[in-house]
Amino acid sequence: MQRHTFHPTILREYDIRGIVGQTLSLDDAEAIGRSFGTMMLEKGGSVVSVGYDGRATSPELEKALVSGLQSTGVDIIRIGMGPSPMLYYSTYELNTQNGIMITGSHNPPDHNGFKMIMEGKPFFGQDIQDLGHCSAEGNWIRKNGTVSDNPLLEKYVARLLEDYRFPSDLTVVWDCGNGVTGEALKKVVSKLSGRHILLFEEIDSTFPNHHPDPTVEKNLQDLIRTVKGMNADLGIAFDGDGDRIGVVDSRGNILWGDQLLAILATEILKNQPGASFIADVKASKSLFDEISRMGGKPVMWKTGHSLIKTKMAELSAPLAGEMSGHIFYNDHFYGFDDAIYVGLRLLNLLGQTDQTLDEMFDALPKMINTPEIRFPCLDEEKFAAVERLQAILKKAGADFSDIDGVRVSTQGGWWLLRASNTQAVLVARCEAATLAALDAVKQDMKTNLAAAGIEFIPE
């Protein structure tokens, strides 16, 4: 292998991913190893940990990746199968500072991909483009590294349990969605107090029961039905690789990412008054208002787990989250998104209070909002469209944030338009306190989009 060119669709903003056998091959995995290893050595790194999820194609991709890494002279520690957060954990526990996780996350069964960390930081954006250039030029370092096995599941589970300090007699239903969290979760719940019911804990990359994406309402129906049927106190669901969480209360109400963040923040603010909390631009105004009301400092930031992690480190914020279900704890933890850990911190919180999750949910301010509205826009046009919109809003003296696209405050609510970093789409969302106000917010958005020459065709 002298040089290697990747299919143009697989080098994404936050990771590398594609369809195995079509846009992603074993040769790609080897070239990723060669290029990552070369870049790592050039930055002074020498050791990398490698993990993989429960997909049928992951073991062979891991083997090819390790071969590529080894050919550059880096030393590889294979940590085995587990959730993506186990790989993140390995970079601290084994002090590698560098890691690659083979995972298709919540994508369909024939997809797979690679999430990467270099020098203790997310490897994304320009880093991924640089990896593509390194591979295309074939300027790989050619030496011979070592490979060792250090299965980390037991240590990872023990670390998750370290911060579970307030046992309770809650009944909890956990939905693994046949993703890779199953093995770890079985070990975790065996050490918890209360009653725990596991759904679809068998790892099966065909996802025979439902798709493992807890941000989609239909994927939570099995969990909701079981929570109600077992008279459980709450239900917790995971995505395919265990870095995103979904939560429902005993009545089947879904707590979206911003609502969960508002509840989790209460525990931290008791010990760290005035702490900063980060949420992405898609989060409800009520979250930012609630953080302020409780004495915290709300920070609105760009959507994207790598971007949130980077901002979190910069501000030393103890907690951050996204509407997509990525929740990041930098309080007693490492600042990465680990859904099992988040679930345990939620149980910890409930173990310290007489309030139920239902009561906490009911106490949250309620706003009316649309789901994400995604509509097609060519990759080469989407960012330019947002810039045109920003210019129009600026000229009109509108009240808006341009942190990530535009988020316009109007009619006591807001509307958002941003370019997706991963797809050829624009993403919109609207929120207001009443249905009448929401209609007015939507109309304001449509008027401004039309003025910017953006054709609004919701899917």
Side-chain angles (χ1 to χ4, degrees), residues 83 85-86 89 152-160 184 338 340:
M86 185 174 92
Y89 164 70
L152 219 57
L153 189 63
E154 297 291 344
K155 267 192 176 176
Y156 167 64
V157 166
R159 176 61 189 89
L160 291 175
D338 187 324
I340 299 177

Side-chain angles (χ1 to χ4, degrees), residues 108-121:
D110 55 352
H111 290 229
N112 217 323
F114 304 80
K115 292 181 178 178
M116 295 162 282
I117 296 165
M118 190 178 285
E119 295 187 303
K121 296 172 186 167

